[in-house]
Amino acid sequence: MSIPRFLMVFIPAFLIALIFTAPARLITPLLPPSSAQLSWAEPEGRLVSGMVPWLQWQEQRIGPVKWQLAPIQAISGTPLALQLEQPAAMSMNLGGSQEQLRARNGEIEARLSTLLLQMMGNSMGLDANIHISQIESLWTQGQCESLTGQARIDGWRGMDGFENIGEITAELACAPNRVWLDVNPDNNIKLRGRIGIDTQGRYRIDLRANPPAGPLRQNFEALLGKPRGNEFIIQQRG
C-alpha cells in the first residue's frame, strides 16, 4: 500500500477511534457557564456515550442525564439520543448548531405526584400517570419557534372518586419564551385550560373543572373550596 493510500485509510480511522474513546469531560467547555440558576456535575463516560450525574436548575435537581451518539439519526439532523431518569423518564433525539436546537421523537413518562412536589412542594395526596409523546420542537437562540406533542393523563388515584376522572388529553405548544399544555375539555370532569412554564422557570396553572355530583365533586370542594357557579377554579403561580 502506498503512503498516500495508507494515510487516507489511517487518518479517518484514527479520528474515529479518537472520537469514540475521548472522555466525556471534553464537552465541559461547550456548556454554558455555571451560574446561580444552572449548575451541573462533571460529565462522565465517553464523548459518544456518557452522562452528567445531575443538573441543578434554580432549586430543582434533575438527573442523571445520559447521551448516546446515534449516527443513523444524523440523516434527520438529530444525531444525539438523550435520556433523563429523574424527576421524569424522558428520551428524545437532539441536533442543531450553536444558534439552533432541534428535538425529535420525544417521549416523557412521569407521575403527577412527583411533579406537584417539584412545582408546589405538596402533592395534595393526588397521583396519576402522565404520558407525553411525539414531541417535536425547534429552538433558536434560546427561544421556542415550534413545539408539538400529545399528552395523556390517566390512572387517577389518591382520593375517593378520583378513579372516575378517566383520561385527560392535552397538546403541547409554545411561544418564544414559554411552553404550555392546552387541556382538551372533552373529559369526564370537563377540565379545560392551560398549564405553562417560561424560560425563567416560572410556572402558571389556569384550569377550570366541573366534575359530576358525588364523592369526586365533594373532594374537589374539600381541596379547592366552593365552586364559582358550577366550575372549580384552579390557579397557581410559582
Side-chain angles (χ1 to χ4, degrees), residues 78-139:
T78 53
L80 190 66
L82 193 70
Q83 288 187 323
L84 173 68
E85 296 181 4
Q86 293 292 337
M90 181 198 74
S91 64
M92 65 178 56
N93 295 320
L94 299 176
S97 62
Q98 287 185 338
E99 294 187 351
Q100 196 170 73
L101 178 67
R102 183 179 297 277
R104 296 183 187 272
N105 305 322
E107 304 278 344
I108 297 175
E109 299 279 341
R111 295 273 299 274
L112 177 64
S113 57
T114 301
L115 298 184
L116 288 174
L117 284 171
Q118 290 277 337
M119 295 172 64
M120 302 168 58
N122 187 353
S123 70
M124 299 180 291
L126 304 179
D127 206 358
N129 305 318
I130 301 173
H131 322 264
I132 307 177
S133 61
Q134 303 174 32
I135 301 171
E136 308 274 337
S137 189
L138 178 64
W139 292 71

Side-chain angles (χ1 to χ4, degrees), residues 18-34:
L18 188 64
I19 291 172
F20 273 81
T21 58
R25 64 176 179 272
L26 291 180
I27 72 166
T28 301
L30 303 178
L31 297 174
S34 181

Side-chain angles (χ1 to χ4, degrees), residues 16 156 160 192:
I16 292 172
W156 291 86
D160 190 22
R192 58 189 174 88

